[in-house]
């Protein structure tokens, strides 16, 4: 993403996972961001994922962007979201070892995801409670509500979707969000990959993070 982006490899069980890491100045948080579907070209360098990372950095979060199984230098094969969620959770555990202040909530933990990555991030978020880990923030962009069984997420989650999304219809996202009383920020005349709308996406995610911190 920039000259300071580092590539790090984590050994999770018997697999190597490649992670792109960007460090914020005076970081007060850590965000793990999940990329779109591996079988359709999704990687940790996806433009929407990069945009989300820039928004998190702007708000004082270090960012980790893993490549899922079988993508880039990450070992393994696509596992329909199950193994990807396990790996995402394993990285959260690694983060707790590297950032001891996460356990005391001195440093904020956030999870984010785009498209398929929104499913992985929300499944991981749901699993953190039984692990005794608290994530303050969940950011879901283009949630894959019609493609995967998206779980319930808290109503303070940040959810953003395009009105003209050709991959996941807005009506499907609303059908998922409505019973949860979950607000959805809709970008008019915007497609799944937010073409021409990435600067506005960054601005809105950054503003939402800043607002959440003030509440």
């Amino acid at each position: 993403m920039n000259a300071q982006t580092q590539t790090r490899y984590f050994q999770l069980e018997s697999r190597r996972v490649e992670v792109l890491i960007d460090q914020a100045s005076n970081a007060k948080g850590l965000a793990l961001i999940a990329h779109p579907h591996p079988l359709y070209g999704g990687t940790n360098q996806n433009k929407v994922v990069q945009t989300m990372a820039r928004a998190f950095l702007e708000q004082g979060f270090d960012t980790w962007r893993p490549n899922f199984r079988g993508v880039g230098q990450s070992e393994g094969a696509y596992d329909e979201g199950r193994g990807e969620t396990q790996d995402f959770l394993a990285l959260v555990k690694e983060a707790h070892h590297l950032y001891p202040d996460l356990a005391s909530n001195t440093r904020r933990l956030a999870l984010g995801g785009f498209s398929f990555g929104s499913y992985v991030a929300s499944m991981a978020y749901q699993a953190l409670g039984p692990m005794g880990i608290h994530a303050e923030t969940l950011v879901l962009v283009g949630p894959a509500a019609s493609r995967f069984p998206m779980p319930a997420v808290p109503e303070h989650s940040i959810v953003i979707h395009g009105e003209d999304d050709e991959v996941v219809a807005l009506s499907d996202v609303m059908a998922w969000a409505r019973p949860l009383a979950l607000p959805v920020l809709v970008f008019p005349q915007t497609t799944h990959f937010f073409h021409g709308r990435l600067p506005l996406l960054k601005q809105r995610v950054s503003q939402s993070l800043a607002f959440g911190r003030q509440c």
Side-chain angles (χ1 to χ4, degrees), residues 147-170:
R147 302 298 181 103
F148 295 90
M150 293 284 294
V153 299
E155 62 183 21
H156 65 265
S157 302
I158 299 166
V159 182
I160 301 175
H161 206 76
E163 179 185 29
D164 298 331
D165 192 312
E166 72 284 13
V167 176
V168 182
L170 175 60

Side-chain angles (χ1 to χ4, degrees), residues 101-177:
D101 48 354
L102 283 174
S104 64
N105 293 327
T106 305
R107 186 184 296 262
R108 304 161 66 202
L109 175 64
L111 304 184
F114 168 51
S115 195
F116 169 78
S118 68
Y119 171 64
V120 172
S122 58
M123 289 295 289
Y125 186 95
Q126 191 178 60
L128 289 180
M131 295 167 56
I133 298 175
H134 172 68
E136 180 180 308
T137 306
L138 179 64
V139 181
L140 307 175
V141 176
S146 62
R147 302 298 181 103
F148 295 90
M150 293 284 294
V153 299
E155 62 183 21
H156 65 265
S157 302
I158 299 166
V159 182
I160 301 175
H161 206 76
E163 179 185 29
D164 298 331
D165 192 312
E166 72 284 13
V167 176
V168 182
L170 175 60
S171 58
D172 291 324
V173 173
M174 296 307 301
W176 163 68

Side-chain angles (χ1 to χ4, degrees), residues 23-44:
Q23 294 182 310
S25 57
N26 301 316
K28 295 181 174 59
L30 172 66
L32 282 77
I33 307 170
H35 69 69
H37 206 299
L39 300 186
Y40 299 96
T43 77
N44 58 9

Side-chain angles (χ1 to χ4, degrees), residues 32 64 86-99 102 128 131 133:
L32 282 77
W64 288 17
Q86 292 170 7
D87 292 346
F88 206 66
L89 287 168
L91 283 172
V92 173
K93 290 181 181 178
E94 290 286 341
H96 266 248
H97 293 311
L98 293 174
Y99 295 83
L102 283 174
L128 289 180
M131 295 167 56
I133 298 175

Side-chain angles (χ1 to χ4, degrees), residues 7 17 22 55 67 85 97 115 120 137 147-148 178 201 214:
T7 302
V17 174
D22 287 280
N67 263 336
T85 299
H97 293 311
S115 195
V120 172
T137 306
R147 302 298 181 103
F148 295 90
R178 194 173 293 112
L201 177 63
Q214 294 164 7

Side-chain angles (χ1 to χ4, degrees), residues 22 35-36 46 52 67 79 89 100 125 132 159 182 186 200 208-209:
D22 287 280
H35 69 69
N46 170 269
M52 294 173 68
N67 263 336
D79 192 33
L89 287 168
Y125 186 95
V159 182
L182 182 64
V186 178
L200 182 60
S208 296
L209 292 169

Side-chain angles (χ1 to χ4, degrees), residues 50-61:
Q50 289 189 42
T51 298
M52 294 173 68
R54 290 189 178 99
F56 274 111
L57 284 166
E58 187 171 88
Q59 292 301 320
F61 287 82

